[in-house]
Amino acid sequence: MVSHDVVIVGAGPAGAALAYELAKMGIDVLILEKGKLPRYQTCSGGISVRAANLLDFDISPVTEQLIYRAKFSYKLGNGYTKEYDKPLIHMVMRDRFDLFLIQKAQEIGVRVTDGQKVEQIQMMANHAVVVTPAYKFKARIVAGADGANSTVARAAGLRGGVDFAMGINAEVSVSDEAMARWDSTVGLDIGYVPYRQGWIFPKEAHLSIGVWGAIALTKELKPYYKRLLESQNLGNYEVTSLKGRLVSLRKSGLAIQRNNALLLGAAAGLLHPLTGEGIYYAIKSAQLAAPVIAKSLQTDVIELYDYERAVDLELMPELQAGRWLLRLFNRSPHLYFRWLKRSEHLWRAACCLVRGEKSQFRQELGLSRYLFNTIYLGARRSR
């Protein structure tokens, strides 16, 4: 049995980012991935500028498009286009993006074993044993970066009572003419089904098209997806890799660490309820976890509560505010659709948020600032 300081289950952005941060501190890290890298991941592939800026290296080698514009539609009808003068989102294919992050971690000493699904995790008093079909690994700390169906979460008895949502995404090959209409532009549809939204994200040579929303309305996803495709005047198109994906959303107060295990990113339910953004929270949670893990490894007793506290302080107010905004939005989505069309300040504020420019975001809110502060501060008080 091979021993490591930390075993990370899952080679997505959260796992790769944690491994990268720990390796920079000289900590012995192993990543276990059930698929063979690079592997396809059901995801829209949008990396916000603020998420990309968390990394200390450039992701342009795997960026297929930079987004400056968004087309908004209501119930699949005619809509409007908003444009910003700075890039908002990097468009990537997750197989290439995830592999790129993993390679950055490998360059500084992280070990990666792919094609090995974790079958069992035995939690001991001061270590864990991680079992795959071919190997057993001993670790002082196990980190779960393995998504909504996290094996680490189940083994550690974590994350009971989370909310779930479902998404469908596919890669859609279209004509050059259709691709040109989506150059540097994303599409977002709202209002067709409550607590649902659809997206069109352009990649280098095809479109990623999907829908997502609350788990209770899953049966309505496929009809909505079909209508979304039909509404776009794509001409002859081919749909490949049409897959569903379960996602989880953490509620304030739910534990994401216990004894010598912790959860990151999607495994911890760190997903924005309104926008569906997850990669920012995956990377940021890894960066919050790394110093806590490093400090804990210096002691005889593993203590990871400071990580959960950091997530509660730095990430959960924004995610809780997202829950409140989602409830408000779904009462009258058409009003917010019209509000965004008419308010350049609201649009620019949203762009500042996507770019991580908080001071400019508050300035651009203008008269909307009172509503935002009421929701955000209310979310902080409710933790």
Side-chain angles (χ1 to χ4, degrees):
M1 182 164 29
V2 181
S3 295
H4 299 276
D5 291 332
V6 180
V7 169
I8 301 170
V9 181
L18 179 60
Y20 181 79
E21 295 297 326
L22 293 176
K24 287 195 296 185
M25 302 177 193
I27 295 171
D28 175 33
V29 185
L30 170 70
I31 296 178
L32 292 174
E33 167 59 39
K34 65 181 179 181
K36 293 293 292 184
L37 297 171
R39 81 282 186 264
Y40 180 80
Q41 184 76 9
T42 304
C43 181
S44 63
I47 314 297
S48 65
V49 166
R50 70 169 184 162
N53 287 344
L54 289 174
L55 302 169
D56 61 9
F57 49 82
D58 182 18
I59 68 167
S60 61
V62 291
T63 298
E64 302 201 356
Q65 285 211 39
L66 282 173
I67 299 302
Y68 292 83
R69 293 180 293 274
K71 294 181 180 179
F72 296 93
S73 61
Y74 178 69
K75 293 187 176 181
L76 302 176
N78 293 328
Y80 53 85
T81 299
K82 292 282 190 175
E83 185 168 358
Y84 198 61
D85 57 356
K86 299 176 184 178
L88 301 171
I89 307 171
H90 296 258
M91 287 290 113
V92 304
M93 289 301 295
R94 281 288 306 277
D95 52 354
R96 294 181 61 215
F97 178 70
D98 291 7
L99 181 62
F100 181 71
L101 299 187
I102 287 293
Q103 289 171 338
K104 289 293 183 181
Q106 288 177 310
E107 288 172 5
I108 56 174
V110 172
R111 297 181 178 91
V112 179
T113 299
D114 61 356
Q116 290 294 316
K117 181 179 180 180
V118 173
E119 295 182 332
Q120 185 181 8
I121 302 175
Q122 301 165 0
M123 296 294 183
M124 309 297 187
N126 58 0
H127 70 278
V129 176
V130 183
V131 181
T132 74
Y135 307 103
K136 286 186 178 181
F137 302 96
K138 181 180 178 181
R140 292 194 66 195
I141 294 174
V142 176
D146 48 345
N149 289 315
S150 173
T151 300
V152 177
R154 290 195 298 272
L158 290 169
R159 218 192 50 183
V162 297
D163 291 333
F164 288 99
M166 178 64 72
I168 291 177
N169 187 79
E171 314 308 330
V172 183
S173 298
V174 299
S175 67
D176 291 343
E177 179 184 358
M179 281 298 302
R181 294 200 301 268
W182 292 100
D183 183 49
S184 301
T185 306
V186 297
L188 297 170
D189 179 71
I190 61 173
Y192 187 80
V193 180
Y195 297 94
R196 286 285 188 275
Q197 67 179 17
W199 64 82
I200 301 170
F201 281 13
K203 304 301 170 61
E204 185 175 12
H206 70 275
L207 304 175
S208 291
I209 301 179
V211 297
W212 86 293
I215 194 76
L217 300 174
T218 297
K219 66 180 181 180
E220 299 182 48
L221 272 179
K222 285 189 177 180
Y224 178 29
Y225 187 84
K226 183 178 179 181
R227 290 291 303 275
L228 177 61
L229 284 174
E230 293 171 348
S231 71
Q232 297 306 312
N233 191 27
L234 297 175
N236 294 324
Y237 61 85
E238 181 181 1
V239 177
T240 60
S241 302
L242 177 61
K243 294 183 179 180
R245 181 186 180 191
L246 187 69
V247 296
S248 59
L249 296 93
R250 182 184 182 232
K251 298 176 183 176
S252 292
L254 289 182
I256 52 173
Q257 56 73 41
R258 180 169 293 159
N259 299 328
N260 52 350
L262 58 78
L263 306 178
L264 306 165
L270 302 178
L271 183 89
H272 197 285
L274 181 63
T275 67
E277 182 178 14
I279 291 178
Y280 171 81
Y281 304 102
I283 297 171
K284 186 64 176 178
S285 64
Q287 293 175 345
L288 294 174
V292 176
I293 290 172
K295 181 179 178 180
S296 197
L297 288 172
Q298 297 172 1
T299 68
D300 292 332
V301 179
I302 299 297
E303 176 52 71
L304 302 174
Y305 176 73
D306 284 348
Y307 161 66
E308 183 177 311
R309 185 171 183 272
V311 168
D312 285 339
L313 289 173
E314 297 197 33
L315 299 183
M316 288 309 297
E318 183 174 318
L319 299 182
Q320 189 65 16
R323 282 181 180 268
W324 289 26
L325 286 168
L326 181 63
R327 294 189 192 108
L328 287 173
F329 175 82
N330 277 286
R331 289 177 182 175
S332 302
H334 60 287
L335 295 180
Y336 296 97
F337 179 74
R338 293 202 296 263
W339 185 18
L340 181 59
K341 179 180 181 179
R342 296 171 181 172
S343 174
E344 191 62 21
H345 279 296
L346 182 60
W347 163 246
R348 293 184 67 84
C351 294
C352 291
L353 195 61
V354 170
R355 288 181 52 81
E357 298 167 348
K358 291 185 178 180
S359 59
Q360 188 68 18
F361 163 71
R362 294 187 179 93
Q363 180 179 333
E364 291 287 355
L365 273 178
L367 293 176
S368 305
R369 186 174 179 178
Y370 174 76
L371 175 61
F372 173 80
N373 285 339
T374 299
I375 293 172
Y376 183 78
L377 293 175
R380 290 188 67 89
R381 286 194 296 268
S382 68
R383 286 186 294 104

